[in-house]
Amino acid sequence: MKKYVIILALALFQLSSLAQDLISKYKTGTIKLVPDTEFAQGNDWNTVFRSYYDTLYNRPMGMRKSLVVLPDGSVIVNHAYRNYRTKFSPSGAYEKEFELEKAGHKAVLGVINGNTLFTGLNNMGKMTCTDFDGKYKKTLTLDYMTKDIIALNNGSFAVVGWVLWAEKIRSFVAIVDYDTNEEKVIWEDFIDRNISSSGKHLNKRQPFNYQATLKGGGIVSYTTMPYSKSTGKGLPPQIATVNNELLVAIPNTGELFVYDLNGNLKSKTKVNWGNNTISVEEQKAIQQKAIQRYQAYLESGEEMVQKNRDAFKQIIVEMQDDLQKINTPIEKPSFSNIIKDSDGNILFFEIPAEKDANVFHVWVYNQGGKFVAKCQFVCDEYELNISASKMVFHNGYIYSLQRLKEAKGNPLRLVRFKVEGA
């Protein structure tokens, strides 16, 4: 009996030391991601990731791939618009390509109950659940579109959803039971639509928000300025599990809500750093480029544009009018996305001020949560794409899909990074 107690004490001590070590590394201000040279050796990346060069609008779609790490350290990689997934062993060796029964090309999003894969939704709101070999288990149905779905420790899902109502756009977070498909909405927000589902104009035009009613039916609409409040655009809620509870983080307001797994609110706070802005000068440059782009579009000779020349000319006039009225900075959301590390800390990434930059704030859930460090990732060998679908912590490592800077042939790699402080 004493032997078991000693072993348990040592295990707890090691886990505690590892958690403290990660925090101390974050506190150095810089985390160096060092590729594990023993991981994923011998794979022919030109074959394994051969769909990297699939294109959409003449751009490679390889970085639309995503990964899921299984409890034993195996990795599943999704391939956008392809009806197969690729499985790698815990050592990173290619194992097989396989399909999920009744899933089509839906991406695997995660593991629920420790033994079941679940996918995103198709256009009918169907989620497919299978075993680890792709054998069908069940289907769940959600009657809305989703931005994110994660598994909770009680056999339920947390879902970030959105739906168009007649005159509103509803964004919300719900808890969905795996066994019953029943759901409970725990957070929601509404913004006004500019045009109702029946085509009625509900509001006068807002700055940087443009639309054209086309001859013969149909509407074209778009915005030119990122994060402008007047356009109703923003970033969706971010969700993660923390200490057997659910964190709902709202980028547009900086609010952080913690719920128990039954959806009861336990605490509410906000991020503790100021938001970055888009300056007046930056806005003018963005708007001017947009005007030039749409003027070229108008002169392209495309049949649809020529049939609706007056409508598109009016849009350019509106864009030029908005350009002259730019006089105040636009506040960006407080963060772009979050990633949970293998010790349960949540990394909040700021919206980068320049390409390839990344800054994150480390949040530890303790008595409602607190931020303990500000840090950044650096890597000499790889171009870092920071997102929860590309970077997954597992047992102190980061498993990731990234582009090798000096690659011969296909640059995409499945890589396991060691996390080292500066």
Side-chain angles (χ1 to χ4, degrees):
M1 182 67 180
K2 290 183 179 180
K3 181 179 179 181
Y4 291 118
V5 171
I6 292 172
I7 291 173
L8 178 60
L10 287 172
L12 291 173
F13 174 77
Q14 289 171 345
L15 288 173
S16 176
S17 298
L18 179 61
Q20 182 61 39
D21 188 54
L22 264 181
I23 292 296
S24 66
K25 290 176 181 178
Y26 294 143
K27 288 182 177 180
T28 67
T30 300
I31 291 294
K32 187 172 183 179
L33 300 185
V34 179
D36 182 351
T37 57
E38 297 180 358
F39 182 78
Q41 295 304 299
N43 294 329
D44 180 355
W45 300 112
N46 289 316
T47 300
V48 172
F49 291 151
R50 61 189 179 280
S51 64
Y52 176 84
Y53 289 105
D54 287 354
T55 62
L56 184 67
Y57 306 120
N58 296 316
R59 297 177 182 176
M61 292 179 60
M63 290 312 290
R64 297 184 70 153
K65 300 181 188 299
S66 59
L67 82 163
V68 170
V69 180
L70 303 186
D72 69 349
S74 300
V75 177
I76 293 175
V77 173
N78 300 297
H79 307 278
Y81 306 114
R82 293 285 185 138
N83 186 21
Y84 68 91
R85 294 96 193 144
T86 304
K87 187 177 181 183
F88 298 85
S89 72
S91 67
Y94 168 82
E95 283 192 351
K96 63 180 180 179
E97 292 176 354
F98 70 108
E99 298 180 4
L100 304 186
E101 293 180 0
K102 302 184 181 182
H105 58 67
K106 291 181 289 187
V108 175
L109 297 188
V111 176
I112 191 167
N113 296 327
N115 58 10
T116 300
L117 302 177
F118 64 92
T119 72
L121 308 184
N122 62 13
N123 57 9
M124 300 299 291
K126 304 294 184 182
M127 171 200 290
T128 303
C129 301
T130 75
D131 66 16
F132 286 170
D133 292 318
K135 186 176 179 180
Y136 176 78
K137 284 191 171 184
K138 68 181 301 183
T139 296
L140 280 76
T141 302
L142 306 178
D143 58 354
Y144 44 80
M145 291 163 280
T146 61
K147 295 289 188 180
D148 195 13
I149 306 173
I150 64 172
L152 303 178
N153 295 336
N154 65 345
S156 296
F157 299 99
V159 180
V160 178
W162 67 282
V163 65
L164 293 175
W165 286 7
E167 298 186 356
K168 302 278 187 179
I169 300 175
R170 183 194 190 204
S171 299
F172 59 94
V173 176
I175 292 177
V176 180
D177 186 273
Y178 172 81
D179 293 320
T180 66
N181 208 152
E182 294 179 351
E183 66 182 38
K184 176 182 179 180
V185 174
I186 61 173
W187 177 93
E188 63 183 350
D189 183 55
F190 296 89
I191 61 172
D192 294 329
R193 294 179 61 176
N194 291 321
I195 300 179
S196 72
S197 56
S198 64
K200 175 184 176 183
H201 287 258
L202 303 173
N203 302 296
K204 68 178 183 179
R205 185 187 68 80
Q206 297 295 307
F208 314 121
N209 195 17
Y210 310 99
Q211 57 201 15
T213 301
L214 305 179
K215 294 179 179 178
I219 296 174
V220 173
S221 63
Y222 47 86
T223 63
T224 57
M225 195 64 60
Y227 313 122
S228 171
K229 292 181 180 179
S230 64
T231 66
K233 299 293 182 180
L235 297 175
Q238 305 285 306
I239 52 177
T241 55
V242 289
N243 284 15
N244 208 33
E245 293 168 336
L246 173 63
L247 169 69
V248 178
I250 314 301
N252 302 321
T253 64
E255 294 174 297
L256 310 177
F257 301 90
V258 176
Y259 297 85
D260 66 24
L261 299 189
N262 294 316
N264 300 306
L265 182 63
K266 296 191 66 176
S267 66
K268 175 183 176 181
T269 185
K270 293 191 71 171
V271 302
N272 63 355
W273 60 88
N275 292 22
N276 293 323
T277 62
I278 306 176
S279 69
V280 170
E281 292 73 19
E282 290 171 325
Q283 291 177 63
K284 289 181 177 180
I286 292 170
Q287 188 72 355
Q288 187 61 59
K289 287 181 180 179
I291 291 171
Q292 293 170 354
R293 184 167 62 251
Y294 285 103
Q295 284 176 330
Y297 185 48
L298 185 61
E299 297 166 3
S300 66
E302 185 175 323
E303 182 179 356
M304 184 273 289
V305 176
Q306 297 310 311
K307 285 183 178 180
N308 297 276
R309 284 187 65 84
D310 290 343
F312 281 99
K313 284 183 177 179
Q314 178 58 35
I315 284 176
I316 292 176
V317 170
E318 294 171 356
M319 293 170 72
Q320 291 170 331
D321 183 55
D322 287 344
L323 175 63
Q324 299 304 315
K325 294 178 179 178
I326 295 173
N327 56 23
T328 56
I330 292 175
E331 190 173 84
K332 295 180 181 179
S334 298
F335 51 91
S336 59
N337 61 312
I338 63 177
I339 296 177
K340 180 181 176 181
D341 75 12
S342 51
D343 294 324
N345 308 306
I346 308 297
L347 313 184
F348 286 73
F349 287 82
E350 293 185 6
I351 295 171
E354 55 189 49
K355 185 180 179 181
D356 298 329
N358 68 82
V359 172
F360 62 87
H361 301 258
V362 183
W363 188 78
V364 177
Y365 183 58
N366 180 19
Q367 298 180 347
K370 60 181 179 180
F371 289 94
V372 299
K374 182 176 180 179
C375 194
Q376 65 177 338
F377 287 138
V378 297
C379 183
D380 295 331
E381 297 90 342
Y382 287 85
E383 300 174 13
L384 295 181
N385 184 309
I386 308 292
S387 74
S389 68
K390 301 287 192 299
M391 303 179 75
V392 177
F393 278 84
H394 182 74
N395 290 342
Y397 292 95
I398 296 177
Y399 293 72
S400 195
L401 289 171
Q402 302 294 344
R403 284 189 292 250
L404 185 64
K405 289 180 180 178
E406 298 182 4
K408 294 181 179 179
N410 190 334
L412 187 62
R413 300 288 186 273
L414 171 64
V415 58
R416 183 169 69 184
F417 290 118
K418 300 175 183 177
V419 179
E420 296 185 358

